[in-house]
Amino acid sequence: MKNIRLDKNEMPFLPPKTVQVAIYNSLKSINRYTPTEKVELLLELLSSYSTIEKERIILSAGSDILIKEFIFRFSHVDQIIIANPTFIIIQNSALQSDSELLKVRLSEPHFTFPTKLIENQITKPTLLVLDNPNNPSGKRIVTEDQLGILLKKEMLTVLIDEAYFEFSGNSVLPLIKRYPNIAITRTLSKAFGLAGIGLGYMLAGETIVEAFEGLDIMLPYPSVMGAISALQNKDYMEEFVEFVHKEKQTMIERLQELDANYYESETNFLLITTGIQNIAQRLAEKSIYVCPVSDYFGSDSIRVSIGTHQENTIFLEALQKLLSQK
Amino acid sequence: MRKIGLIVNPIAGMGGSVGLKGTDGKIIEKARKLGAEPITPKRIEAFLSNLTTNIKITFLVAPRHMGEKYIKNYNVPFEVVGKIGKTTSAEDTKRIAEEMLEKGIELLVFCGGDGTARDVYDAIDLKIPVIGIPAGVKMFSSIFAINPDAAWNLLKSYLEGSELVENEVLDIDEEAFREDKLDSKLYGVLKIPKVKQFIQGGKKSSGKKRTEAQNKQLIAEAIREQMRENALYLLGPGTTVKAISEKLDIPISLLGIDAVYNRELLQKDINEQQILKLLKTYQKAYIIVSPIGGQGFIFGRGNKQFTPEVIKIVGKNNIIVVSTQEKLKELNCLRVDTGDIEIDKMLRGYIKVVIGLKEKELIEVK
């Protein structure tokens, strides 16, 4: 049976032919370093896409690297604050640091980050790293206004990972123009469906741009060419986002019928609580791969990506079967 | 062939349906008269229905309706251990569990409630791990699986080599419970298997995975480092808090409250009156507590010596909560039930929990 992969929040289709061809053509000069003008072109495209000047954009081979690098560069602070649960790369990188780590439990069902409370905790140089929307809850955990209040504290440096920004439509971007101590990471791996090229970027406030000076990462030529083409043809991304919202709604309606517990999500995945122990394993036995989240929730909870209509249907049918055996 | 013990408390849970809150002592006759139906058969059947012939274990079971009766229906090797009379009691559970231990079982599965867990603890202690199939009315202990299927998954995990965790056996005074008073105490600690993580997500959690025992050591180290001179520390019950005493190299009372001053034992296993007296002598005082696994109570279960008055004198800011991440991740929030609404209110909100050497988690108290 064909494997159904709903565990990594990828786009379940290939990007359009044009993008594929751009990547393919780059192979014809793969013996050369990536031309500077192509990197410049990519920066210009990202600048217009993100509505921010290109001097504030830092490119990298995947946003994971930027998150790790960011935490590393600011790890001289006294404390790092992260959410719990959060994107695993954020937690792992924070654990590597020598600073004190404060995890803030996000309470169900809204998973809101308690900014008011955190304000009192910032009595010493602090780094705050959040993913917004949050993974694995799929929720927007902090708003621009809430974060704006925190950013008035000069002792605070903030990184917000917006990997799922295109699905959510919400961003804290305006804050970058007002405060020097905040940055946002984004990626082409999710809504642009280019997980395989590993291209991420950071939109940064002034202080952070300075801190990152000298980080010149050579980006692979196929990645740069793929990213350029994707940004020049971004209609497909918008169509995909629309598809995800529609398909997610269909899944939610079905989950309601099945009486499974799910959380409304601003992303291309859903956090579902099934009441079936080891559910991820049970589904894997049927070649359906979903992400277990038992580091935070019980083994009956899973994070499921929105796949193709057919994949989602197969998942729901398998879930229904397991629920009826309960 | 691996040997697994199985003991069923045939009367556990009977009081619940007739509103009797437990069947400890003589109350069982009353329960029967009120028409109480035994609930253990259903629970044990649900557990055993997962049995397949390819599972390579021999069950050592208690006689008749304490185990034998149920296992007989399945095509698996088993051996009956011990003898029982017409009616059964706590003594039967204890005696048979001990006999099974002598016969070399490596894990004991039991079906019952808090009272049964207490009997099992008396016999087994931390010698071997146990799995509790929930069937009682009082289920305050955090050692029980959430349902029979979950208990089965624990057994499967154990056989495949899962880690073990220590969880609390709590019991409440049934006499008081029947009068709608809730007074629970920490009775002991049992070892249970942890559900094994069969598959990992795409991005793995930190490579440097520590065991729960290592985490306890780190927590103890963190507390030792932050302990102030000339301040009184009241160490609550439980193994996480007691790891601190061990780190300080002072004797411990696992289930009681100990007073520590300048990293030395001041007084062991003290009650409320003794605590109040100490609080009069020592100006600066801290309470160190750990949540009850599975339920998250930091006050009001298992540490009644910390009365509302004691908590009030010490003050919210001087309460230090410690917990392993393993225990904390099972909890949605922490809870308090001191018996005093005002004190409960004061304790609510977010509180910092020490979870490692330099790691804390901010979590809500409800």
Side-chain angles (χ1 to χ4, degrees), chain B residues 48-62:
Chain B
L48 290 173
S49 65
N50 289 292
L51 263 176
T52 51
T53 41
N54 62 10
I55 195 148
K56 299 273 178 284
I57 47 177
T58 299
F59 276 102
L60 268 63
V61 297

Side-chain angles (χ1 to χ4, degrees), chain A residues 64 84 88 92 95 98 100-103 105 107-108 117 121 277-278 280-281 292 294-296, chain B residues 146 153 197-199 202-206 325 328-329 331-332 350 352 358-362 364:
Chain A
D64 289 10
N84 184 21
I88 197 76
N92 285 353
L95 281 168
D98 282 336
E100 245 177 59
L101 178 62
L102 180 63
K103 296 182 188 178
R105 183 69 70 96
S107 294
E108 294 173 45
L117 207 87
Q121 301 292 331
Q277 301 294 308
N278 276 324
Q281 171 66 18
S294 42
D295 270 2
Y296 307 109
Chain B
I146 57 167
N153 277 326
Q197 229 5 85
F198 292 99
I199 43 174
K203 284 162 182 168
K204 291 193 174 72
S205 60
S206 186
Q325 305 183 39
L328 204 59
K329 81 174 193 201
L331 305 170
N332 288 328
Y350 275 77
K352 262 190 208 171
K358 281 183 166 180
E359 272 180 74
K360 288 183 184 137
E361 179 156 348
L362 203 59
E364 203 173 354

Side-chain angles (χ1 to χ4, degrees), chain B residues 226-268:
Chain B
Q226 75 172 64
M227 271 188 163
R228 296 196 177 168
E229 297 295 311
N230 306 324
L232 176 72
Y233 285 85
L234 298 165
L235 275 59
T239 53
T240 310
V241 179
K242 294 313 169 187
I244 300 165
S245 310
E246 279 164 14
K247 192 115 239 161
L248 296 171
D249 221 6
I250 56 179
I252 57 161
S253 54
L254 181 63
L255 309 179
I257 289 167
D258 301 330
V260 171
Y261 184 73
N262 286 343
R263 299 196 170 97
E264 286 186 25
L265 183 70
L266 196 65
Q267 215 174 342
K268 208 172 135 182

Side-chain angles (χ1 to χ4, degrees), chain A residues 176-192:
Chain A
I176 293 191
K177 298 167 186 168
R178 299 212 311 264
Y179 297 98
N181 48 343
I182 175 172
I184 295 171
T185 44
R186 289 187 186 167
T187 178
L188 297 190
S189 300
K190 301 300 178 191
F192 281 95

Side-chain angles (χ1 to χ4, degrees), chain A residues 148-197:
Chain A
I149 296 168
L150 286 184
L151 281 164
K152 293 202 170 85
K153 301 232 173 194
E154 282 175 12
M155 276 191 276
L156 182 69
T157 306
V158 176
L159 177 65
I160 304 291
D161 181 42
E162 290 187 353
Y164 301 94
F165 153 69
E166 284 84 0
F167 301 106
S168 138
N170 287 304
S171 175
V172 297
L173 185 74
L175 295 173
I176 293 191
K177 298 167 186 168
R178 299 212 311 264
Y179 297 98
N181 48 343
I182 175 172
I184 295 171
T185 44
R186 289 187 186 167
T187 178
L188 297 190
S189 300
K190 301 300 178 191
F192 281 95
L194 291 171
I197 68 166

